[in-house]
Amino acid sequence: MIEILQAVMLVMVAAGALAVTRARDRVRQVLLLSGYGLLLAILFFTFQAPDVTLSELTVGTVVLPMILLLAIFKVRRGERGREE
């Protein structure tokens, strides 16, 4: 039964990676990247790696997307300031 769950998670992770790379809008891409990090954390959990799961949850699901979103908004604000 666990092998089926692992296979399903591998397919979902592959689909998530494809969704992240196919997204055109930067904000949507970052949000998909956060969901992809969550899928990876679940995958690591199914492979019984709790330490890697916790690391992926904090870094891949929360911290990295937050940093990227802040950078995107700061760049957009700078572009608007130059236009005015």
Side-chain angles (χ1 to χ4, degrees):
M1 184 68 174
I2 194 75
E3 293 86 11
I4 295 171
L5 178 61
Q6 290 172 344
V8 168
M9 285 309 303
L10 283 171
V11 170
M12 288 181 69
V13 165
L18 184 63
V20 170
T21 57
R22 302 286 293 178
R24 297 284 182 202
D25 182 42
R26 290 183 184 134
V27 175
R28 178 176 285 160
Q29 194 171 28
V30 171
L31 294 175
L32 286 170
L33 180 66
S34 179
Y36 179 69
L38 183 62
L39 284 174
L40 278 176
I42 295 169
L43 176 71
F44 294 144
F45 186 75
T46 61
F47 279 103
Q48 299 175 356
D51 53 341
V52 182
T53 301
L54 290 174
S55 297
E56 183 61 34
L57 277 174
T58 56
V59 175
T61 305
V62 178
V63 176
L64 178 65
M66 187 180 348
I67 291 171
L68 290 173
L69 284 174
L70 288 173
I72 289 170
F73 290 130
K74 185 168 183 156
V75 168
R76 283 186 181 174
R77 186 174 38 175
E79 290 174 353
R80 287 185 189 143
R82 279 186 248 152
E83 289 175 1
E84 295 175 356

